[in-house]
């Protein structure tokens, strides 16, 4: 199989794709998509592959799997290596995946950023307007993408309402994140891994979830829970962890570049 992964280093869902592929020892060609500064997700050649203009996308022998949840299931089914969703634990694993994907990690990440920096709100608003302009320009130059761009613009409007407006949902998602950590703590008190006694697809997503908590400065959610803290340490020791290049810190130089792009690029 010839596999290509379109990914971004700090993208949460790209990290999920990279981690499951690392666990399954899948060889692939990595294409980095700059979604922050160059906004390559709006390039016509990329929109042809992924009309939602998001990352990741796994292209396997010409077949596009354009969603991290689907990549998890596809990778486990179609690639050799350990079965990360065995029949005897399938119900618990899929339930754990559903719990994970019902949570809005972006709302938590952006909400936290807005509370750490007074400039972040202004920069993010500029970034959303910049994305909208890219969509409108894409519709003008490539009318065949009009429907995809209209859907993207609706999503960007919703993001602005949920993250930037006075009715933002940060307090709600923060409470949900704490509840998820409590739930994981209970599960881990009963078995070694997130959904069963063996490593599974559930551990892929929850490892990335914990990595994001570390990145945004919510490490106390992990450290204060005995079983969750031990679990996190164990996950970071797996061979797949460095291979997946999980982002737990945002380099200051990169943050400055992104901030400048959001503030000044058109």
């Amino acid at each position: 199989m010839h596999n290509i992964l379109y990914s971004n280093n700090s993208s949460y869902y790209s990290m999920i794709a990279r981690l499951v592929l690392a666990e399954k020892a899948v060889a692939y060609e990595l294409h980095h998509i700059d979604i922050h500064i160059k906004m390559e997700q709006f390039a016509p050649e990329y929109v042809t592959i992924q009309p939602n203009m998001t990352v990741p996308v796994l292209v396997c022998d010409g077949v596009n799997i354009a969603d991290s949840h689907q990549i998890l299931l596809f990778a486990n089914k179609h690639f050799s290596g350990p079965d990360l969703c065995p029949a005897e634990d399938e119900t618990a694993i899929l339930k754990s995946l559903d719990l994970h994907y019902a949570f809005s990690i972006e709302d938590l990440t952006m909400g936290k950023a807005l509370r750490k920096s007074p400039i972040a709100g202004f920069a993010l608003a500029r970034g959303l307007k910049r994305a909208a302009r890219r969509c409108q320009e894409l519709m003008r130059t490539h009318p065949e993408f009009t429907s995809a761009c209209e859907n993207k613009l609706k999503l960007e409007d919703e993001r602005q309402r949920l993250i930037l407006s006075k009715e933002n949902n940060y307090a709600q998602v923060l409470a949900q994140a704490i509840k998820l950590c409590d739930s994981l703590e209970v599960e881990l008190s009963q078995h070694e891994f997130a959904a069963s006694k063996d490593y599974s697809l559930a551990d892929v997503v929850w490892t990335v979830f914990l990595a994001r908590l570390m990145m945004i400065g919510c490490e106390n959610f992990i450290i204060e829970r005995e079983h969750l803290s031990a679990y996190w340490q164990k996950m970071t020791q797996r061979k797949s962890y460095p291979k997946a290049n999980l982002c737990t810190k945002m380099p200051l130089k990169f943050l400055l570049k992104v901030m400048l792009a959001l503030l000044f690029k058109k």
Side-chain angles (χ1 to χ4, degrees):
M1 287 185 175
H2 181 223
N3 308 305
I4 302 172
L5 180 67
Y6 295 87
S7 167
N8 177 271
N9 287 345
S10 61
S11 156
Y12 181 85
Y13 296 106
S14 291
M15 287 191 276
I16 289 175
R18 296 198 301 268
L19 185 55
V20 73
L21 294 176
E23 283 288 340
K24 297 290 284 187
V26 177
Y28 60 89
E29 182 182 331
L30 182 64
H31 287 208
H32 176 74
I33 302 297
D34 184 343
I35 61 175
H36 300 295
I37 299 172
K38 296 180 180 178
M39 287 191 159
E40 292 173 333
Q41 69 272 34
F42 297 108
E45 57 271 22
Y46 186 73
V47 180
T48 300
I49 298 169
Q50 169 51 299
N52 292 332
M53 299 165 238
T54 57
V55 287
V57 178
L58 176 64
V59 181
C60 180
D61 286 342
V63 176
N64 296 357
I65 305 96
D67 170 85
S68 70
H69 197 163
Q70 294 305 313
I71 291 172
L72 283 171
L73 302 176
F74 181 92
N76 191 57
K77 181 178 180 180
H78 293 278
F79 297 120
S80 59
D83 186 358
L84 301 181
C85 193
E88 62 270 24
D89 298 316
E90 183 178 16
T91 299
I93 293 168
L94 295 182
K95 181 180 178 182
S96 190
L97 292 180
D98 287 343
L99 184 66
H100 166 268
Y101 279 101
F103 179 72
S104 178
I105 194 69
E106 183 182 44
D107 289 358
L108 178 67
T109 303
M110 293 297 101
K112 183 74 173 178
L114 292 176
R115 280 151 183 80
K116 287 177 70 175
S117 168
I119 303 174
F122 179 69
L124 184 56
R126 292 267 302 182
L128 290 172
K129 289 178 181 177
R130 187 173 167 230
R133 286 196 298 271
R134 290 294 179 95
C135 271
Q136 290 159 356
E137 176 66 13
L138 189 61
M139 283 193 289
R140 187 183 67 79
T141 58
H142 292 78
E144 67 272 24
F145 296 139
T146 296
S147 179
C149 288
E150 287 175 346
N151 289 336
K152 185 70 171 177
L153 287 168
K154 287 177 183 177
L155 288 174
E156 295 300 322
D157 286 343
E158 182 67 3
R159 285 178 71 199
Q160 184 157 345
R161 184 186 71 79
L162 288 175
I163 299 172
L164 291 175
S165 71
K166 291 181 180 179
E167 53 185 290
N168 72 77
N169 63 341
Y170 176 70
Q172 179 184 349
V173 294
L174 184 65
Q176 289 172 352
I178 293 171
K179 189 175 179 180
L180 287 174
C181 290
D182 288 339
S183 177
L184 282 170
E185 179 72 6
V186 171
E187 290 292 329
L188 292 166
S189 71
Q190 297 172 358
H191 32 72
E192 186 177 357
F193 295 97
S196 68
K197 62 181 179 62
D198 298 311
Y199 187 96
S200 73
L201 295 178
D203 298 290
V204 173
V205 299
W206 292 119
T207 298
V208 177
F209 174 78
L210 297 180
R212 179 52 58 93
L213 292 184
M214 296 293 292
M215 191 190 86
I216 64 175
C218 290
E219 62 273 10
N220 59 304
F221 291 4
I222 303 171
I223 296 168
E224 292 172 356
R225 293 166 174 81
E226 178 185 356
H227 296 97
L228 191 58
S229 181
Y231 172 79
W232 168 242
Q233 292 302 317
K234 184 164 54 182
M235 293 302 99
T236 62
Q237 297 304 309
R238 292 183 70 85
K239 291 181 180 179
S240 61
Y241 184 84
K243 291 179 180 178
N245 188 27
L246 300 192
C247 182
T248 57
K249 290 182 179 179
M250 291 292 279
L252 181 59
K253 187 176 180 180
F254 174 72
L255 277 176
L256 288 173
K257 283 184 177 180
V258 171
M259 194 70 73
L260 288 172
L262 292 175
L263 287 170
F264 301 113
K265 278 186 174 287
K266 292 186 178 180

